[in-house]
Amino acid sequence: GAGVSQTPSNKVTEKGKYVELRCDPISGHTALYWYRQSLGQGPEFLIYFQGTGAADDSGLPNDRFFAVRPEGSVSTLKIQRTERGDSAVYLCASSLGLGAGGYTFGSGTRLTVV
Amino acid sequence: AQTVTQSQPEMSVQEAETVTLSCTYDTSESDYYLFWYKQPPSRQMILVIRQEAYKQQNATENRFSVNFQKAAKSFSLKISDSQLGDAAMYFCAYDSYQGAQKLVFGQGTRLTINP
């Protein structure tokens, strides 16, 4: 597609529920990144894919968070047993190979856990 | 680990005037990239300007320019002839030249343009 698409745009869920956030990168971009942006803060790195594999998942806060990219294109960020502290905007970005400023961001998913 | 600090939570400027946003960073690397991103209410991060650390010349993009002081680890953004459309959150960010593949962002500065 022309840009990075993230769905849903907004998600409200109850504490303890499971959620999936989807990212559709720019066609041909091999690298894909997830960031979490809490209210009033800058984005924080969660995980980076090069192709289908997670090259760096050091930013995932705990084992309730998991992300996949099975065919090297669309990625899904999965959060189990959601907590109120998971409320944030989840941003996805993609790049053609190594980033170095060639990152294109989506508009994010605002997750609210009530 | 690298850190990025933006000490100005909010800034305001009159339309058509010039404003400078501050950013400092900490790193032990010699080669890296620095960026300024704009985030409007649509939430999408938009690249404003990029600087390679090995380049001594300050980057410019139309009304946007940076003052890169490598020894001082300072990277400020100057916006000239401010326009109403410049109002947004601005984030300074750091990226390793190779390997890390993850942006480290500052806390952001909210820029208001007064008509």
Side-chain angles (χ1 to χ4, degrees), chain A residues 57-96:
Chain A
D57 64 357
S58 61
L60 295 177
N62 52 59
D63 61 6
R64 295 187 298 105
F65 288 74
F66 189 72
V68 296
R69 195 186 185 200
E71 298 178 356
S73 178
V74 171
S75 175
T76 304
L77 178 65
K78 307 175 184 224
I79 310 174
Q80 298 177 320
R81 304 182 303 280
T82 52
E83 300 177 357
R84 293 197 177 87
D86 299 334
S87 296
V89 173
Y90 290 82
L91 292 167
C92 177
S94 69
S95 68
L96 188 62

Side-chain angles (χ1 to χ4, degrees), chain A:
Chain A
V4 177
S5 176
Q6 291 189 247
T7 55
S9 179
N10 294 282
K11 174 73 175 178
V12 180
T13 191
E14 293 181 346
K15 180 176 177 297
K17 298 289 188 183
Y18 167 84
V19 296
E20 290 188 351
L21 312 179
R22 176 187 169 108
C23 174
D24 200 341
I26 290 175
S27 179
H29 278 194
T30 58
L32 185 146
Y33 313 80
W34 284 99
Y35 289 82
R36 179 168 71 172
Q37 185 175 18
S38 299
L39 189 63
Q41 302 294 318
E44 293 179 313
F45 171 80
L46 294 177
I47 187 170
Y48 148 57
F49 289 90
Q50 184 61 255
T52 60
D56 184 350
D57 64 357
S58 61
L60 295 177
N62 52 59
D63 61 6
R64 295 187 298 105
F65 288 74
F66 189 72
V68 296
R69 195 186 185 200
E71 298 178 356
S73 178
V74 171
S75 175
T76 304
L77 178 65
K78 307 175 184 224
I79 310 174
Q80 298 177 320
R81 304 182 303 280
T82 52
E83 300 177 357
R84 293 197 177 87
D86 299 334
S87 296
V89 173
Y90 290 82
L91 292 167
C92 177
S94 69
S95 68
L96 188 62
L98 295 179
Y103 305 97
T104 302
F105 281 83
S107 295
T109 294
R110 181 181 298 281
L111 176 66
T112 303
V113 182
V114 297

Side-chain angles (χ1 to χ4, degrees), chain A residues 9 33 35 100 103 105 107-108, chain B residues 39 43-44 50 95 101 103:
Chain A
S9 179
Y33 313 80
Y35 289 82
Y103 305 97
F105 281 83
S107 295
Chain B
Q39 188 179 42
R43 300 194 303 241
Q44 184 181 20
R50 166 183 127 156
D95 193 8
Q101 287 301 297
L103 292 169

